[in-house]
Amino acid sequence: MGGSAAVEGSSPSSKYSSGFLASALRRKSLRRSGELRTQNGEGLVRHLGVFELLLLGIGASIGAGIFVVTGTVARDAGPGVTISFVLAGAACALNALCYAELASRFPAVVGGAYLYSYTAFNELTAFLVFTQLMLDYHIGAASIARSLASYVVSLFELFPPFKGIFPSWIGHGGLEIFGGVLSINILAPILLLILTVILCYGVKESSAVNSFMTSLKVIIVILVIFAGAFKVDVSNWSPFAPNGFKAVVTGATVVFFAYVGFDAVANSAEESKKPQRDLPIGILGSLLVCGLLYVCVCLVLTGMVPYKFLGEDAPLAEAFNAKGMPYISILISIGAVAGLTTTLLVGLYVQSRLYLGLGRDGMLPLIFAKVHPTRHTPLHSQIWVGCVAGVLGGLFNVHELSHILSVGSLTGYSVVSACVVVLRWKDVTAGQISTRYISSWHEGVLCLLAVGCCGFASGLFYRFNCSAVLILIAVLIAILVAVALHFRQNYEEPTGFSCPVVPVLPTVSIFVNIFLFAQLHEEAWIRFVVLSIISVAIYAVYGQYNAGPASSRQTVIYQQAPSLD
């Protein structure tokens, strides 16, 4: 009686705070896929096999970067840019192994990093991961659309009748008005509209387009590698790292983002035919293929032309022109168009599936959760994503915002790595080593946060050329925390794909991701903080009242995932 009186007498602010905290700390519990049903009898359809998933991951990763970023980084790292791609690929492999385990653990449901963090941590963390990723996706899609428009125009201009007839507001750049506040580009929204229509039509059709375009660009890249291999002068590889190893490491932080397409495979869980088997293959296989192609292109590029003379806008095309092979430039332009098209197509696909997941969970309006009854695509989510990208790409020069991107990817990857560790813990409420002051679960989470802090500190020390002793101290503290994390928790093996050496590998992944986070532009850090505050406000106003068990206004059910047998 006294307790209820105390509750009744509590202030409205304390009631709101306790309610907000209770909502924010809710976790998603998923039943076995065989127990899941479909919303109103309609859902996504399992059309994607292992080959389509491989091409999905490759299509999301290999864009114009293979034709541009390789030369840009090589101007600083020299032929050592090859090692930059190897280091970046190794760092991404850590993340990919974590994604592969979680994709196998949750084979029936869309959501990717958002779903994993919602299940392992809580509702608010999941919403923060979604908003950080989504800003990257929205700005990235608009930027890629502008680049694609420019490459399409450049491809037409290779033919004399079209040379010089396209104004800036159609393809190249944009028509700046109001002192550059707006930059009008007509072709970018048109291209986005075409791809959105393809995605709305059906996953089978959009997968066919992606498979064709991705196969085309991979074939072109292989042809370029073989054609250039005959023009390689090995003397151009000496010195291999002219500006030292630090330039190679810095280059790795730049090219890291050339690999970040494997999360698209994880987001296709609900449309994969055999997700527990095929998703890990798609994630790790696409990463391996991309890594091999990147390394070969770097070796050929730096072997054909001395790194000091590489161009920054179109280094591959310029290298072949310098060697008297201008016809290869046409292939490179076609490959760049195909690469950007698939990157944009898969990016729009992933965004719509993320919106679908949040709509189902009630953290966004239910209109995002609707799936078309015959096309089996999230029509409203897909149209919304296309419209946002179209407005940004058609009205603004989003290339100028590139320095604040990648925050979402690194944040999402770090959380995914932490999810692997947390979801491996056995019953943390019983039989675990703990003190009377803190639970075993909270102790483990604090250890993961400490590893992240050490990664950020060592990244700052490295960035600002501090003493190597400080970097070593941060690394040693992270190692000690990882050792404590290993011995003070009990771990179980998952039934599907298993990430090796847990918790060591995920903690190394967290450390590397946050180390790279520290290398980003200061404005990217500000963007992270500001967007996090805005996200918490949105969740406080809408999400906490509509998400969770109380939001089950309709039954959200998924098509059963086939068993591994």
Side-chain angles (χ1 to χ4, degrees):
M1 187 72 113
S4 62
V7 172
E8 291 174 4
S10 60
S11 66
S13 61
S14 62
K15 287 182 180 179
Y16 177 84
S17 299
S18 60
F20 175 83
L21 189 62
S23 300
L25 296 180
R26 287 186 300 224
R27 275 190 270 176
K28 188 181 184 75
S29 59
L30 289 177
R31 294 172 289 179
R32 293 286 180 183
S33 59
E35 301 175 24
L36 297 171
R37 300 165 297 211
T38 325
Q39 174 189 332
N40 299 329
E42 303 297 341
L44 304 179
V45 179
R46 298 189 178 277
H47 278 308
L48 303 178
V50 64
F51 182 69
E52 288 85 4
L53 292 172
L54 276 169
L55 293 180
L56 192 72
I58 297 170
S61 297
I62 297 183
I66 199 168
F67 304 108
V68 179
V69 175
T70 47
T72 304
V73 177
R75 288 176 65 87
D76 294 321
V81 65
T82 307
I83 305 300
S84 297
F85 272 100
V86 171
L87 293 175
C92 281
L94 301 177
N95 295 301
L97 287 167
C98 295
Y99 261 96
E101 174 172 322
L102 295 179
S104 177
R105 184 186 284 263
F106 302 111
V109 193
V110 296
Y114 156 78
L115 170 68
Y116 309 148
S117 54
Y118 198 173
T119 308
F121 291 104
N122 53 61
E123 199 166 277
L124 182 58
T125 301
F127 190 68
L128 289 171
V129 168
F130 165 78
T131 53
Q132 294 290 348
L133 282 173
M134 201 46 61
L135 185 60
D136 274 10
Y137 278 128
H138 282 320
I139 297 176
S143 179
I144 292 169
R146 284 219 164 193
S147 296
L148 178 57
S150 180
Y151 271 99
V152 168
V153 170
S154 297
L155 188 59
F156 275 106
E157 289 182 338
L158 290 175
F159 304 96
F162 297 102
K163 195 163 185 67
I165 69 170
F166 295 101
S168 61
W169 53 269
I170 288 184
H172 292 303
L175 176 63
E176 295 190 354
I177 59 176
F178 302 123
V181 175
L182 296 180
S183 178
I184 307 299
N185 187 301
I186 299 299
L187 186 55
I190 293 174
L191 296 171
L192 283 163
L193 174 63
I194 294 171
L195 294 179
T196 299
V197 169
I198 292 172
L199 287 164
C200 288
Y201 195 76
V203 67
K204 188 175 182 179
E205 292 75 14
S206 58
S207 175
V209 173
N210 176 70
S211 297
F212 171 75
M213 298 294 279
T214 301
S215 300
L216 176 63
K217 72 178 177 184
V218 169
I219 291 171
I220 289 174
V221 169
I222 293 173
L223 289 175
V224 167
I225 291 170
F226 275 102
F230 293 99
K231 298 293 182 178
V232 167
D233 181 356
V234 293
S235 65
N236 290 330
W237 290 338
S238 181
F240 197 75
N243 296 318
F245 186 70
K246 184 171 183 178
V248 173
V249 175
T250 303
T253 66
V254 176
V255 303
F256 176 87
F257 309 106
Y259 289 100
V260 295
F262 53 81
D263 62 330
V265 182
N267 278 284
S268 65
E270 202 172 324
E271 292 159 290
S272 172
K273 291 179 181 178
K274 295 182 179 179
Q276 285 185 293
R277 184 199 69 180
D278 293 349
L279 290 177
I281 295 174
I283 290 170
L284 298 172
S286 61
L287 180 65
L288 177 62
V289 171
C290 292
L292 288 173
L293 291 177
Y294 284 138
V295 168
C296 291
V297 167
C298 289
L299 288 173
V300 167
L301 180 63
T302 55
M304 289 176 65
V305 178
Y307 73 95
K308 293 181 180 179
F309 301 108
L310 289 174
E312 294 190 4
D313 295 327
L316 264 182
E318 293 175 18
F320 279 98
N321 286 332
K323 290 296 182 179
M325 303 170 70
Y327 55 92
I328 297 293
S329 298
I330 299 176
L331 278 180
I332 292 172
S333 297
I334 295 172
V337 169
L340 282 170
T341 300
T342 57
T343 303
L344 186 55
L345 184 76
V346 176
L348 295 173
Y349 166 86
V350 171
Q351 292 176 62
S352 68
R353 271 55 182 178
L354 281 170
Y355 274 104
L356 172 65
L358 268 85
R360 285 172 168 174
D361 292 333
M363 279 193 269
L364 290 177
L366 285 174
I367 191 172
F368 290 108
K370 294 185 180 297
V371 176
H372 194 275
T374 56
R375 300 259 60 93
H376 299 286
T377 56
L379 208 61
H380 300 91
S381 296
Q382 198 68 72
I383 292 172
W384 164 258
V385 166
C387 288
V388 172
V391 170
L392 290 176
L395 298 180
F396 301 100
N397 184 9
V398 287
H399 291 310
E400 296 180 359
L401 299 177
S402 60
H403 61 282
I404 69 167
L405 294 180
S406 306
V407 173
S409 298
L410 287 171
T411 303
Y413 291 169
S414 300
V415 174
V416 167
S417 299
C419 288
V420 170
V421 179
V422 172
L423 292 172
R424 284 281 199 101
W425 292 338
K426 293 181 180 178
D427 184 10
V428 293
T429 61
Q432 289 285 59
I433 302 172
S434 62
T435 70
R436 60 178 185 173
Y437 302 108
I438 186 172
S439 70
S440 181
W441 191 89
H442 288 96
E443 180 184 299
V445 172
L446 287 176
C447 286
L448 292 171
L449 288 172
V451 170
C453 291
C454 290
F456 189 72
S458 61
L460 288 180
F461 296 150
Y462 173 82
R463 176 175 181 168
F464 295 110
N465 297 313
C466 296
S467 170
V469 175
L470 294 176
I471 300 176
L472 182 61
I473 291 173
V475 172
L476 288 175
I477 294 174
I479 292 173
L480 292 175
V481 172
V483 170
L485 191 63
H486 175 74
F487 287 105
R488 290 186 63 82
Q489 302 287 345
N490 291 327
Y491 297 87
E492 60 185 4
E493 288 295 318
T495 55
F497 178 87
S498 175
C499 176
V501 203
V502 173
V504 175
L505 190 147
T507 52
V508 172
S509 177
I510 294 170
F511 185 92
V512 171
N513 290 333
I514 303 302
F515 179 92
L516 294 174
F517 185 98
Q519 312 306 311
L520 297 177
H521 197 282
E522 290 87 345
E523 290 184 16
W525 304 344
I526 297 173
R527 164 239 147 137
F528 175 80
V529 174
V530 171
L531 183 58
S532 296
I533 294 172
I534 294 173
S535 301
V536 171
I538 294 173
Y539 177 80
V541 172
Y542 183 88
Q544 68 164 320
Y545 300 112
N546 295 278
S551 70
S552 302
R553 299 183 289 280
Q554 61 180 3
T555 306
V556 177
I557 315 185
Y558 312 94
Q559 196 178 106
Q560 180 176 353
S563 65
L564 283 173
D565 296 336

